[in-house]
Amino acid sequence: MATGDDAARGTAVLAIGSSDDVVRVRQEVRSRAVAAGLGIVDQTKIVTAASELARNTLIHGGGGTVRVESVSQGVRRGVRLTFEDHGPGIPDINQALKDGFTTGGGLGLGLGGSKRLSNEFEIDSAPGRGTRVTIARWK
Amino acid sequence: MDRIPILKLGDALLVTIQVDMHDRLAAALEEDLTERIAATGAKGVLIDISSLGIVDSFIGRMLDTVAAVSRMLGADTVVVGMRPAVAITLVELGLELKGVRTALNVERGMALIGRWLEDGDGDERDGPAAGDANDGDGG
Ligand SMILES: Nc1ncnc2c1ncn2[C@@H]1O[C@H](COP(=O)(O)OP(=O)(O)OP(=O)(O)O)[C@@H](O)[C@H]1O
Ligand SMILES: [Mg+2]
């Protein structure tokens, strides 16, 4: 991989409107994670978390976007992802984070699981306004 | 539309998942596989996931469903080739694939199926339901 292209790699915003988009999000996150120097386990964790959150954006949020950022803090490098939709929102975030809670016939693992798979996790949601979830994984 | 090829290997069917799974492909695989089990009378199903860079809750649920449906049609399923990083991530995600028997690679998976077939011709085979599942509950 080329060096010194942090600025060029900067930020990308991807649409999430179909299950093919979920695959594209996984691919973009994988290549960012590789570029940030994350090991194979950390790569797998952030790509899996991204897949869960992209699917939530698609299915529960009615579609939206993800902002993919290559980030650095001193010598540390990482990947930050911000999923955003203008869907129905989540009335009770603590409940939604509990393993096994689902309103859609899923396993109810995606939200809590993606929190466990990330170094940083932030969620902001309100009924009628939509949902924004930000995660990061650092080397 | 893409399809995942299904090969017949003696009394077993071998499915090698080589592409990044998207939702339609997963659904097609469920259908194709159950049709092939019914048509061939296969007693075992081997699903090779060594090319999969991640398994998220969607793919995990698909594997569980395939195993359950196959069992009802008289075939036991072994998922083989899971990458170590994928296994680590799955456990952290909270998805332990309790209904699915796993083996390290195709050879060991085939050996397992061979043993099941030897242990009981007829309806008393010692399949994955007989004591190999992990205990505990994911909720
Ligand atoms: N972007 C979103 N917009 C609205 N509701 C959401 C959103 N993301 C999650 N939720 C709510 O939180 C619940 C829990 O989400 P989580 O991802 O943990 O489980 P799931 O999507 O239902 O099932 P799984 O991800 O295991 O297939 C969802 O059922 C849904 O009600
Ligand atoms: Mg989900």
Side-chain angles (χ1 to χ4, degrees):
Chain A
M1 188 126 312
T3 53
D5 59 350
D6 281 309
R9 291 187 64 84
T11 297
V13 177
L14 278 65
I16 302 171
S18 70
S19 70
D20 288 335
D21 290 338
V22 175
V23 173
R24 270 190 282 279
V25 169
R26 292 206 288 253
Q27 290 164 347
E28 174 72 17
V29 173
R30 171 77 67 176
S31 79
R32 296 298 185 115
V34 170
L38 266 61
I40 186 68
V41 173
D42 286 340
Q43 288 172 31
T44 307
K45 286 181 178 180
I46 183 116
V47 175
T48 305
S51 189
E52 294 296 339
L53 294 174
R55 193 175 299 283
N56 280 356
T57 300
L58 177 67
I59 292 175
H60 305 301
T65 56
V66 59
R67 167 192 296 269
V68 185
E69 291 171 275
S70 299
V71 290
S72 54
Q73 223 172 53
V75 293
R76 283 179 90 205
R77 301 179 72 196
V79 182
R80 177 176 291 133
L81 310 171
T82 306
F83 295 84
E84 198 162 1
D85 66 64
H86 297 101
I90 302 174
D92 184 340
I93 289 175
N94 285 328
Q95 186 184 42
L97 277 167
K98 286 212 178 82
D99 282 356
F101 178 82
T102 178
T103 57
L107 297 171
L109 290 176
L111 212 51
S114 61
K115 183 176 183 184
R116 287 189 290 275
L117 293 172
S118 307
N119 296 132
E120 290 171 19
F121 181 94
E122 222 180 279
I123 180 164
D124 184 16
S125 182
R129 223 181 31 170
T131 301
R132 188 172 59 227
V133 181
T134 304
I135 61 170
R137 183 97 211 169
W138 294 90
K139 187 178 178 204
Chain B
M1 180 171 135
D2 300 338
R3 283 302 225 255
I4 297 174
I6 300 170
L7 300 177
K8 191 155 193 308
L9 225 71
D11 268 333
L13 297 176
L14 172 64
V15 181
T16 305
I17 299 176
Q18 272 165 331
V19 289
D20 200 347
M21 288 285 269
H22 56 72
D23 305 14
R24 271 171 291 115
L25 203 57
L29 176 62
E30 261 178 59
E31 260 177 48
D32 292 352
L33 196 54
T34 45
E35 268 169 33
R36 283 294 293 279
I37 293 169
T40 59
K43 295 284 170 50
V45 175
L46 224 64
I47 304 181
D48 183 357
I49 61 165
S50 56
S51 326
L52 285 188
I54 66 149
V55 171
D56 63 1
S57 63
F58 181 84
I59 299 168
R61 195 162 50 207
M62 185 276 289
L63 293 173
D64 255 340
T65 306
V66 163
V69 174
S70 303
R71 195 174 302 138
M72 264 188 256
L73 295 173
D76 289 317
T77 302
V78 187
V79 169
V80 303
M82 184 184 293
R83 298 181 187 178
V86 170
I88 291 169
T89 300
L90 269 179
V91 170
E92 205 155 320
L93 187 63
L95 197 70
E96 290 167 32
L97 298 182
K98 294 187 184 79
V100 180
R101 187 64 209 258
T102 56
L104 204 57
N105 54 35
V106 174
E107 289 70 31
R108 291 204 188 176
M110 279 303 285
L112 201 58
I113 287 175
R115 238 177 295 140
W116 292 341
L117 289 177
E118 273 171 32
D119 281 359
D121 345 303
D123 46 20
E124 298 209 59
R125 279 172 306 119
D126 181 20
D132 287 318
N134 301 320
D135 287 328
D137 75 296

